Amino acid sequence: MKKNILVGQSGGPTAVINASLYGVIAEGMARPEEVDHVYGMVNGIEGFLSGHVTDLSLLTREDLSLLKQTPAAYLGSCRFKLPENLDAPVYSLLFEKFTAMNIGACFYIGGNDSMDTVDKLSRYARIRRETISFIGVPKTIDNDLPVTDHTPGYGSAAKYVASTVREISLDASVYQQPAVTIVELMGRHAGWVTAASALARKYPGDNPLLIYMPEVPFSMEQFFKDVEQALSRQPNVVICVSEGIRDKKGRFICEYTNDAQIDTFGHKMLTGCAKILESYVRNRFRVKVRSVELNVNQRCSSLLASAADVEEAECSGRRAAEKALQGETGKMVTCSRLSGPGYELEYGLTEVGNVCNREKSFPVEWITAEGSDIGPEFLDYALPLIQGQPDHIMENGLPKYLYRK
């Protein structure tokens, strides 16, 4: 008997999260003998609990083409944590809804916390002998999911960061007066996004001259020494910092103002370390200082998306649908690089318990110069991820996107 499939998006969006959604929909609709309808959770599990569902099978071919190039989360997102206790009433309510909708497979596109949702639902199903498959589709610009080589969304974020920092560096070079520009980038515990700023360099010794990430404790005194040395080399210095840099005591630099707040998952909401460092540098060196926070642009710039990233995001969604319909459950889609010349990926699965609530840090051995620069190993790793420019459907000189009305 044919079943319906259900897909949701959760956590922070990316430039290619909808390409993964497209992959799930396209693969499901390509199997009419197995799949009747493809439904979407509006605003993830939280919206689904409130009855907010849309029939994605009704999207036209043109709609799907637009969906693939649309940034942010078409279905809407949420940050909703399911209870640790699998006897909580919410689980029986969810499965009552699954049964009423004749759901045979459920997909959740997200990061660490979203994989926690997949893990809990699949464990509940196993205990209650439910036959629904639950598969996680990886998504995060932070690139911090373990097991998989990299995460869809990271390549486009890296390309945006490298392109934007290159432009900021060119702008900073216009004047001959000494000046420092501090660029704050996303990354609470992992410095992958900030590391991408190294790709902006046009030649060795180019800006950004200094790069600081959470993996190495931040020392204000060493920072001052680094800045002094950098200013002695050239008048215009660009520095890139992760939002999550912290001192050796574990205190976030942004907390020096005591403004950090907590989100629903207990994570500190970090912002403002570049602004704090701006004040320190201005007071210490008496030069012109500017701080720039790229903020959400890092995750929603489809015009600077990587074609490789779009393709890999779609493949991840397709593989998730394929494996779920084969009966796999409690897994997340992974990718690994094949050995040999060139760049080629192989897609697989891992137990979602290997991923949820865990983080993959940036390799410390790739961090050089006493914690203020990135080694060549990262360039070899990251360059294949930012290749290509996807074709865009345009309207009146602007990209055309799909959105829910």
Side-chain angles (χ1 to χ4, degrees):
M1 185 179 75
K2 291 200 294 187
K3 292 279 189 176
N4 300 320
I5 63 177
L6 179 68
V7 57
Q9 299 170 311
S10 181
T14 77
V16 302
I17 186 174
N18 290 325
S20 292
L21 176 60
Y22 168 90
V24 172
I25 299 169
E27 191 65 28
M29 293 175 66
R31 298 168 179 263
E33 70 285 356
E34 300 174 79
V35 177
D36 192 8
H37 289 269
V38 181
Y39 291 112
M41 305 178 187
V42 176
N43 295 116
I45 285 288
E46 188 173 23
F48 181 71
L49 283 166
S50 300
H52 299 155
V53 178
T54 185
D55 190 347
L56 298 170
S57 310
L58 301 178
L59 294 177
T60 65
R61 185 172 298 180
E62 181 186 1
D63 289 337
L64 290 172
S65 295
L66 290 175
L67 175 66
K68 191 174 176 180
Q69 75 173 32
T70 298
Y74 170 74
L75 290 172
S77 186
C78 71
R79 294 191 182 276
F80 183 81
K81 191 173 181 66
L82 287 172
E84 297 297 328
N85 181 7
L86 297 184
D87 291 326
V90 67
Y91 290 101
S92 59
L93 176 59
L94 282 168
F95 277 78
E96 286 174 11
K97 290 178 176 290
F98 293 150
T99 300
M101 294 182 64
N102 192 31
I103 301 300
C106 179
F107 308 92
Y108 219 39
I109 308 172
N112 311 75
D113 296 321
S114 302
M115 295 308 120
D116 178 72
T117 297
V118 175
D119 180 55
K120 289 170 179 173
L121 291 175
S122 62
R123 286 193 286 120
Y124 181 90
R126 193 175 300 120
I127 293 170
R128 300 302 174 101
R129 300 185 184 276
E130 301 281 355
T131 58
I132 303 174
S133 293
F134 293 92
I135 299 288
V137 184
K139 170 272 343 167
T140 175
I141 70 166
D142 294 325
N143 200 36
D144 61 352
L145 298 186
V147 185
T148 190
D149 178 81
H150 60 276
T151 309
Y154 176 65
S156 295
K159 185 169 186 171
Y160 175 83
V161 166
S163 301
T164 304
V165 171
R166 177 171 286 190
E167 292 168 345
I168 289 172
S169 297
L170 287 170
D171 183 84
S173 69
V174 169
Y175 302 106
Q176 62 182 352
Q177 291 83 1
V180 175
T181 302
I182 304 172
V183 183
E184 180 177 335
L185 299 157
M186 288 182 172
R188 179 183 292 111
H189 299 299
W192 292 98
V193 173
T194 303
S197 64
L199 300 170
R201 293 170 177 154
K202 302 178 290 299
Y203 52 83
D206 190 19
N207 273 314
L209 293 183
L210 301 170
I211 301 173
Y212 299 95
M213 305 194 300
E215 284 79 2
V216 176
F218 184 86
S219 164
M220 195 67 75
E221 284 306 312
Q222 183 61 50
F223 174 67
F224 288 149
K225 292 177 183 178
D226 294 341
V227 173
E228 183 176 25
Q229 184 178 32
L231 284 169
S232 70
R233 289 167 52 190
Q234 62 186 60
N236 298 293
V237 174
V238 176
I239 303 168
C240 292
V241 298
S242 293
E243 62 182 350
I245 55 173
R246 71 203 80 184
D247 60 29
K248 63 182 181 181
K249 295 182 179 179
R251 186 184 182 196
F252 291 107
I253 301 307
C254 70
E255 290 184 298
Y256 283 22
T257 61
N258 296 317
D259 287 338
Q261 298 178 345
I262 304 295
D263 68 13
T264 54
F265 283 93
H267 304 316
K268 290 182 178 178
M269 300 169 64
L270 309 180
T271 185
C273 68
K275 181 64 68 175
I276 292 170
L277 293 176
E278 174 188 342
S279 298
Y280 276 102
V281 171
R282 181 181 293 110
N283 294 337
R284 181 70 172 251
F285 297 99
R286 303 298 177 184
V287 297
K288 181 179 179 181
V289 189
R290 175 185 288 113
S291 61
V292 179
E293 184 184 347
L294 296 191
N295 211 299
V296 298
N297 306 60
Q298 298 160 84
R299 70 187 193 192
C300 67
S301 179
S302 73
L303 285 179
L304 279 177
S306 154
D309 196 25
V310 173
E311 179 183 354
E312 291 169 9
E314 178 189 342
C315 287
S316 295
R318 285 184 178 273
R319 180 56 55 92
E322 174 192 341
K323 291 301 181 181
L325 293 173
Q326 291 174 1
E328 295 282 2
T329 188
K331 306 287 179 63
M332 186 194 81
V333 176
T334 62
C335 68
S336 56
R337 302 188 193 209
L338 296 178
S339 59
Y343 172 73
E344 189 176 355
L345 290 182
E346 180 178 56
Y347 293 89
L349 296 174
T350 187
E351 294 287 342
V352 75
N354 296 330
V355 179
C356 64
N357 302 313
R358 302 184 184 187
E359 292 178 319
K360 177 180 68 178
S361 298
F362 188 88
V364 177
E365 61 270 22
W366 291 1
I367 303 175
T368 63
E370 297 187 39
S372 63
D373 205 354
I374 307 299
E377 301 92 341
F378 171 72
L379 303 184
D380 296 335
Y381 170 87
L383 281 172
L385 311 184
I386 67 170
Q387 299 305 306
Q389 186 73 21
D391 294 328
H392 279 87
I393 301 169
M394 307 293 285
E395 184 176 64
N396 297 323
L398 295 171
K400 188 176 181 180
Y401 296 136
L402 186 70
Y403 57 92
R404 290 180 295 106
K405 297 178 182 177

